[in-house]
Amino acid sequence: MKLNFKTIFIALSLGAAAISCSDFGDLNSDPTKSTDMDPNLLLPTLQMTLTNDWQEWHRHFMYPGGFVQQWCGDWGTVEYGCCGIKNDSYMAELWLQRYTRMAKGLVDIVERTKDDPAQANINAAGRLMLVYTFAQLTDMYGDIPYSEAGKGYYTGQYKPKYDTQEEIYNDFFRQLEIADAQLRKGTDLIKYDQYYDGDTAKWRKYVNSLRLRLALRLIKVNPDKAKEEARIAIENGVMESNADLCRIKYENFANPSAGPGRGNALSNRFRAEPRNFRFSRKLISYMEQTSDPRIRIYGACYLEDGTDITDLVYEKTRSYTEMARYTDRFDWENYGDDPTVVTPEMTIKLNGQDFIVEPKYQFLQPSVWLMALDAPYVNMSYAEVELLLAEAAYRWGFGDGTPAEHFSKALRASVEMMTVYGAPAPSEADVTRFIQANPLRSGSELEQINMQMWVGLVLNPFESFANWRRTGIPEIIFTNYQPARNQSNGKTPRRLTYPVEEQIMNPDNYRKAIARVPGYDWTEGVWWDKQ
């Protein structure tokens, strides 16, 4: 059963009103102001909250989206993510929003239902979402409040300790193991579920797919643990087709200028300042080299009024790479790789008349499918799972297929899944050409697998940044375009720093966490990002 979005929006508004303050005393207060709230009503609110506030999502997007050189053009992404300039409030946004708007609600679902066999499935769903949410936090910040976070109502602890990331990851696997076991035997209906409409078989696949993702995160710091957790996840059963991918659907509404709404937050952000986001040349160049049919689904060239001139620009350039921006460039800058060379204006035939195209409109922007207010948000895709399976098969021989077979399945799934955004279904010929042009080659397996991961995660900056840090793929060279202003010593940052508020609200635990990271700064890797 599903609630309509009007009902969810009302529930979301009420929930937001109840958790608006950001001090830890409020973070750990009763998230529902009720002792008998149905957790099935809380679940869809939390599912929406992850991806429906466009102001929040811009702040989430700008740093990792620039760090891994997928995006440029947009002022915030270039200024902070690409040029490496610190902004305390922007770096704090993920922390503040996930703790104030997500953590205690998820804790409440789990705590409220943990001893009730009649609510085993909703409990499992809460555990999975808790792991997903805290994984974003710990992967971006390192050690964080976890075991005591969000439990003030239950324990009276208002200044939670910072657990080590190793402890947190160990508990992630325990939580997912419990969730999988409960979904096997649970009989309750997960009502109002916006991911899978209560389909517990798909929830199980998501549980184990997430476990596989997190298992491979440990490959540098604890390869034995990575291997064992990956084995269990695969044996338990992961996603098997695009029908299993985890997404949330939105309605075709523009969100308010501040706060959540009923439309996709990222699409709202793309549309809020029209035509300023650009795909990086690094990304588009790789996609063109691999004959990736997603180029024209990802990006297009639009004039200010929305007129699509992509084909007309391509006729002039004969190269999608030339239609992409160099990293660290704002949308109004005309430079190519050489700052002394200015991109010239271009004359095209538009409606039978000569039309001069300014340089900024010659570069690929997010397509109408990615900018659609009702575009879904994909939390985890089947294509990603097949890439993870390809890596697990390559490293350890796990699974039913060879690395090459899983890689081919990933390529197909990655193209075919774009229909969830409303893009036209690819022809079988296009899909076949893409697969045949990219066989998994001996000696370059990990590079090919994780380059495809980088391309596929273009709308998921948390995961793209995490996967780059665990693999070093693609090679990221910080361009240091503005060295006088750069605050990372010309290095690509590897984490976000803790919010300033923590020094005031939770100072003792904050200082202990800082002390565990010699030379604490945003260029120091988190625990699993072993250098």
Side-chain angles (χ1 to χ4, degrees):
M1 177 189 291
K2 289 195 177 185
L3 287 171
N4 63 40
F5 273 90
K6 182 177 180 181
T7 305
I8 294 173
F9 185 68
I10 292 172
L12 178 66
S13 300
L14 293 173
I19 57 176
S20 59
C21 298
S22 61
D23 62 277
F24 266 112
D26 189 66
L27 293 187
N28 289 276
S29 62
D30 178 14
T32 64
K33 306 301 181 185
S34 168
T35 58
D36 58 358
M37 169 72 79
D38 181 354
N40 284 283
L41 286 172
L42 191 54
L43 179 69
T45 300
L46 295 169
Q47 290 174 325
M48 276 193 70
T49 297
L50 277 170
T51 49
N52 77 328
D53 185 328
W54 68 264
Q55 292 282 16
E56 172 192 331
W57 255 82
H58 188 211
R59 290 160 178 77
H60 295 180
F61 191 81
M62 62 177 64
Y63 274 118
F67 290 165
V68 293
Q69 299 183 353
Q70 293 168 311
W71 292 93
C72 55
D74 166 63
W75 186 85
T77 303
V78 173
E79 179 80 352
Y80 304 113
C82 295
C83 292
I85 296 173
K86 292 181 178 179
N87 182 303
D88 289 337
S89 67
Y90 291 167
M91 285 195 286
E93 187 74 13
L94 179 67
W95 180 287
L96 297 177
Q97 294 294 345
R98 289 296 185 260
Y99 278 113
T100 60
R101 297 179 65 196
M102 293 293 298
K104 59 187 178 178
L106 291 169
V107 167
D108 189 63
I109 290 177
V110 175
E111 290 294 320
R112 189 184 297 276
T113 61
K114 66 181 181 180
D115 298 320
D116 185 356
Q119 298 188 89
N121 287 330
I122 186 65
N123 180 270
R127 290 178 190 273
L128 182 153
M129 288 193 63
L130 186 146
V131 170
Y132 182 93
T133 300
F134 277 95
Q136 289 182 339
L137 284 164
T138 188
D139 289 346
M140 294 299 283
Y141 295 100
D143 298 353
I144 60 169
Y146 174 69
S147 62
E148 296 178 352
K151 294 184 178 178
Y153 174 70
Y154 294 97
T155 67
Q157 175 56 264
Y158 299 123
K159 296 184 184 297
K161 69 177 181 178
Y162 285 55
D163 298 282
T164 68
Q165 190 172 58
E166 182 175 12
E167 292 169 336
I168 293 167
Y169 260 75
N170 285 337
D171 193 66
F172 284 167
F173 297 125
R174 186 179 74 86
Q175 294 295 332
L176 294 174
E177 180 67 26
I178 293 171
D180 179 76
Q182 292 190 165
L183 288 164
R184 290 174 187 263
K185 63 183 180 182
T187 58
D188 56 306
L189 173 65
I190 306 176
K191 297 178 289 187
Y192 319 128
D193 170 24
Q194 298 299 302
Y195 289 166
Y196 295 120
D197 199 19
D199 188 330
T200 55
K202 289 185 177 181
W203 272 97
R204 273 199 67 215
K205 293 176 184 179
Y206 184 24
V207 163
N208 292 302
S209 297
L210 181 59
R211 188 171 186 169
L212 178 59
R213 173 197 276 178
L214 297 179
L216 284 171
R217 197 84 91 228
L218 307 186
I219 200 67
K220 290 194 295 186
V221 70
N222 192 342
D224 290 338
K225 179 72 170 176
K227 180 179 180 180
E228 178 62 10
E229 292 297 336
R231 180 191 64 78
I232 295 171
I234 294 169
E235 289 181 358
N236 284 349
V238 296
M239 295 180 188
E240 298 176 296
S241 75
N242 278 331
D244 295 330
L245 61 79
C246 180
R247 61 171 166 163
I248 185 165
K249 300 176 182 177
Y250 287 99
E251 289 189 298
N252 189 23
F253 284 92
N255 291 352
S257 60
R262 290 185 280 171
N264 182 305
L266 200 48
S267 300
N268 270 265
R269 183 63 225 175
F270 287 153
R271 294 164 66 104
E273 297 178 31
R275 321 304 173 207
N276 65 349
F277 280 87
R278 300 292 183 275
F279 286 101
S280 76
R281 183 167 293 201
K282 184 180 184 71
L283 179 79
I284 298 301
S285 174
Y286 182 77
M287 293 180 75
E288 188 162 42
Q289 291 170 25
T290 55
S291 304
D292 196 323
R294 287 174 291 179
I295 290 179
R296 287 300 305 275
I297 300 174
Y298 278 13
C301 296
Y302 302 110
L303 298 177
E304 195 69 35
D305 64 2
T307 301
D308 189 336
I309 58 171
T310 315
D311 290 338
L312 299 174
V313 174
Y314 185 78
E315 286 177 5
K316 294 286 186 177
T317 64
R318 307 309 300 174
S319 167
Y320 289 115
T321 300
E322 294 299 314
M323 294 163 62
R325 298 245 55 182
Y326 281 89
T327 305
D328 295 3
R329 299 300 191 266
F330 298 105
D331 75 307
W332 63 83
E333 292 182 291
N334 292 335
Y335 309 142
D337 55 338
D338 184 346
T340 65
V341 176
V342 177
T343 303
E345 293 180 336
M346 176 187 294
T347 301
I348 62 174
K349 285 287 186 182
L350 186 63
N351 299 324
Q353 303 291 321
D354 285 345
F355 183 86
I356 297 175
V357 181
E358 295 178 51
K360 68 179 292 183
Y361 299 117
Q362 298 173 26
F363 299 108
L364 293 168
Q365 308 157 26
S367 72
V368 292
W369 296 295
L370 302 191
M371 287 196 293
L373 297 174
D374 60 351
Y377 187 82
V378 177
N379 294 305
M380 190 169 191
S381 73
Y382 164 61
E384 179 190 343
V385 173
E386 282 293 352
L387 290 170
L388 295 171
L389 289 170
E391 183 168 338
Y394 170 74
R395 290 182 181 277
W396 305 302
F398 287 168
D400 295 332
T402 67
E405 288 169 342
H406 286 298
F407 187 68
S408 293
K409 288 180 180 179
L411 296 183
R412 174 177 290 278
S414 67
V415 177
E416 293 180 344
M417 71 169 279
M418 298 311 294
T419 58
V420 304
Y421 295 94
S427 69
E428 181 59 32
D430 284 344
V431 175
T432 299
R433 275 194 296 270
F434 182 40
I435 293 172
Q436 291 179 344
N438 297 279
L440 195 62
R441 298 182 299 275
S442 177
S444 66
E445 291 93 345
L446 291 179
E447 179 184 8
Q448 286 182 266
I449 290 167
N450 287 288
M451 286 298 291
Q452 285 300 323
M453 192 76 80
W454 178 63
V455 173
L457 291 169
V458 72
L459 296 176
N460 188 336
F462 306 111
E463 191 56 31
S464 182
F465 183 43
N467 199 67
W468 168 72
R469 286 178 288 161
R470 82 167 182 91
T471 64
I473 300 169
E475 180 183 13
I476 300 292
I477 299 174
F478 195 88
T479 57
N480 215 9
Y481 172 48
Q482 297 183 1
R485 302 176 67 229
N486 169 253
Q487 294 175 279
S488 68
N489 295 317
K491 300 177 182 178
T492 303
R494 306 188 78 89
R495 69 163 77 205
L496 297 184
T497 56
Y498 297 126
V500 173
E501 289 89 339
E502 281 292 279
Q503 301 175 43
I504 301 169
M505 301 296 181
N506 198 9
D508 292 341
N509 289 311
Y510 166 84
R511 285 192 291 269
K512 290 176 183 177
I514 294 294
R516 291 199 288 261
V517 186
Y520 177 76
D521 192 39
W522 67 343
T523 57
E524 296 296 322
V526 298
W527 165 73
W528 54 253
D529 182 18
K530 185 178 180 181
Q531 301 303 299

